[in-house]
Amino acid sequence: MSGSTTFLKSGHWPTLFASFLYFDFCFAIWVLNGAMGPFIGESFKLTPAQQGFMISVPILAGALMRFPLGVLAQYIGRKNAAMVEMGLIVLALGYGFFFVDSYDSVLAMGVLLGIAGASFGVALSLGSGWYPPRYKGLAMGIAGAGNSGTVLAVLFAPPLATHFGWQTVYGLAAFTMLLPMAVMWWAAKEPPDREHQTLREHISCLFEKDGWAFSLIYIVTFGGFIGLASFLPTYFHDQFKVTKVEAGQLTMLATLMGSAVRVVGGYVSDRVGGVTTLTGVLLIVSVTLVLCGLAGGSVVVTTLLFMLCFAALGAGNGALFQLVPLRWPLTTAVAGSMIGEIGALGGGFLPNAMGVSKQYAGTYLWGFVSFAVLALGLLVMLRIVQIRWTRTWAERGGRARVTPVESSPLDYGRPELRGMAK
């Protein structure tokens, strides 16, 4: 209890709460088309490939919009950027309510829903900005727990769509955004750690092999999370012929595991190391995905396997961001933002793979297998690159070093290293 009190007093908890709420509601809006996938597919008689592409559009758009929103936040402040974003989301949802009446307009709506997916970097930076370095990880974890917004979408959107029509859900969702906007306006304060990064500084980790290694792993952990969470309502409804509401409830069970275990993944990684944790994560993800494809005849077994898979994905997200501040101690937020953007792009792979597999092979199995193969490939990469990591900036298994060593890698955030290439 005393530790919790110390943590709360060390920063500005109303801002942290506002950041969590902002990210939570934005995440729910981001996956709204996925949650209503069975309804949209039925309305326009979509092929599996069309449905997979439709679900992937908000994911890809959200990933691409993270960078512009981050740049905007540097000039007008993170709180103001969050308010602008939420205002645009309300307008986008109004478009969905009044004008979405064809497959093409659904795709356009998917691009607009991507605005909500841009919130990641701003939410985590705003929430942790008031906290000292020793508590920033915990603060980022609390703000990042807003990915539980997936649960809100899959739990409430299907029953609302059943009773009022799926287009009406866009209008209802617009009203819900007024709550995080009000809390942000009244409770949040702009943190004092505001600074301007150049474009070079923002993308600096992508000039390094480690930056790409982290981004590729995040494609599996976070990309797998958002991709599966968006596609599962469609998968459960089509594969097991459950009702659309039941498909949402089954998806909720799986995604809840991923959101809850993210913090646990970071906690475990502090003790056994992020590399060790990620090794187990990638193994579990690859095995459970293949088993999900093979267990297509049992909804109970498949749901349990998805719960295990999402738990691993959530732990993987926590584990990867345990390693980020070890590798980039002076530019953690910048590196994490760019890694998050590249990783989110991977979320568009899985819905498309699933749709194409179903349409051309008559089964979802090969969609699962393709992502499992990707996970195994990145596991091999991880085991190779971790040899150098544990010789330079991390202890064995990916734990934090007690004292820095002279052989630690360059950090592009340091002024004397700006403009240098590795």
Side-chain angles (χ1 to χ4, degrees):
M1 182 65 71
S2 61
S4 300
T5 302
T6 303
F7 165 71
L8 291 175
K9 289 183 178 180
S10 69
H12 191 255
W13 70 262
T15 300
L16 180 58
F17 175 72
S19 299
F20 163 79
L21 207 63
Y22 154 58
F23 190 40
D24 195 54
F25 277 73
C26 283
F27 214 97
I29 301 302
W30 190 21
V31 299
L32 203 53
N33 274 2
M36 299 192 299
F39 296 89
I40 298 172
E42 188 176 89
S43 294
F44 302 119
K45 303 296 187 292
L46 302 183
T47 66
Q50 286 178 318
Q51 194 146 344
F53 179 69
M54 179 269 293
I55 292 172
S56 73
V57 168
I59 301 173
L60 297 172
L64 294 173
M65 291 181 189
R66 286 183 173 190
F67 176 71
L69 184 67
V71 173
L72 178 66
Q74 292 190 55
Y75 290 96
I76 68 173
R78 283 156 284 188
K79 176 180 176 178
N80 289 335
M83 292 297 296
V84 169
E85 181 191 15
M86 287 188 281
L88 292 174
I89 292 170
V90 171
L91 294 177
L93 292 169
Y95 167 83
F97 177 70
F98 289 108
F99 300 109
V100 172
D101 56 4
S102 66
Y103 178 60
D104 288 341
S105 60
V106 168
L107 295 181
M109 185 64 196
V111 175
L112 295 178
L113 290 178
I115 299 172
S119 57
F120 174 81
V122 173
L124 269 63
S125 179
L126 176 62
S128 65
W130 282 100
Y131 288 85
R134 70 181 185 277
Y135 288 128
K136 279 191 181 294
L138 178 57
M140 290 178 70
I142 292 173
N147 62 15
S148 59
T150 307
V151 176
L152 298 178
V154 298
L155 189 60
F156 292 106
L160 289 173
T162 299
H163 288 89
F164 303 107
W166 59 268
Q167 291 96 335
T168 304
V169 176
Y170 292 131
L172 297 173
F175 282 103
T176 67
M177 288 302 300
L178 298 179
L179 174 61
M181 290 182 73
V183 173
M184 181 67 70
W185 178 261
W186 291 107
K189 292 183 179 180
E190 184 68 21
D193 63 343
R194 180 177 174 182
E195 61 178 85
H196 294 288
Q197 276 96 24
T198 65
L199 176 63
R200 169 76 180 191
E201 291 168 335
H202 190 84
I203 64 174
S204 60
C205 70
L206 296 184
F207 289 93
E208 308 175 56
K209 294 178 180 178
D210 287 353
W212 282 105
F214 275 61
S215 297
L216 290 172
I217 294 169
Y218 205 54
I219 282 176
V220 170
T221 59
F222 181 75
F225 177 91
I226 187 66
L228 274 177
S230 298
F231 193 79
L232 280 191
T234 296
Y235 175 76
F236 277 122
H237 177 65
D238 183 67
Q239 182 71 23
F240 301 106
K241 310 306 178 186
V242 298
T243 67
K244 301 179 184 72
V245 173
E246 290 172 338
Q249 293 170 342
L250 292 171
T251 302
M252 181 269 295
L253 292 175
T255 56
L256 188 60
M257 288 292 293
S259 300
V261 178
R262 176 167 184 152
V263 178
V264 177
Y267 177 83
V268 171
S269 297
D270 283 336
R271 282 146 183 80
V272 304
V275 171
T276 301
T277 305
L278 284 170
T279 298
V281 162
L282 294 173
L283 279 172
I284 293 172
V285 168
S286 59
V287 171
T288 52
L289 284 177
V290 173
L291 291 177
C292 283
L294 296 174
S298 173
V299 65
V300 174
V301 173
T302 300
T303 302
L304 292 174
L305 286 170
F306 275 130
M307 291 175 69
L308 178 58
C309 181
F310 268 87
L313 291 170
N317 291 330
L320 186 132
F321 274 90
Q322 178 263 346
L323 292 171
V324 169
L326 303 184
R327 176 57 183 85
W328 293 278
L330 302 181
T331 54
T332 299
V334 175
S337 177
M338 184 53 60
I339 291 166
E341 182 164 336
I342 301 299
L345 286 171
F349 170 81
L350 209 149
N352 280 294
M354 298 288 281
V356 169
S357 176
K358 179 65 174 179
Q359 182 161 331
Y360 294 104
T363 175
Y364 289 112
L365 172 62
W366 301 112
F368 288 120
V369 170
S370 63
F371 204 74
V373 170
L374 175 62
L376 286 175
L378 293 180
L379 173 59
V380 173
M381 179 203 73
L382 172 66
R383 298 312 303 175
I384 293 173
V385 298
Q386 65 87 28
I387 298 173
R388 177 169 50 82
W389 293 355
T390 54
R391 290 174 179 171
T392 53
W393 52 269
E395 292 287 355
R396 184 177 180 181
R399 296 188 300 274
R401 286 185 179 272
V402 178
T403 56
V405 295
E406 294 182 0
S407 58
S408 59
L410 300 179
D411 189 322
Y412 279 87
R414 290 162 56 186
E416 66 271 20
L417 296 177
R418 288 175 187 164
M420 295 175 60
K422 213 170 183 180

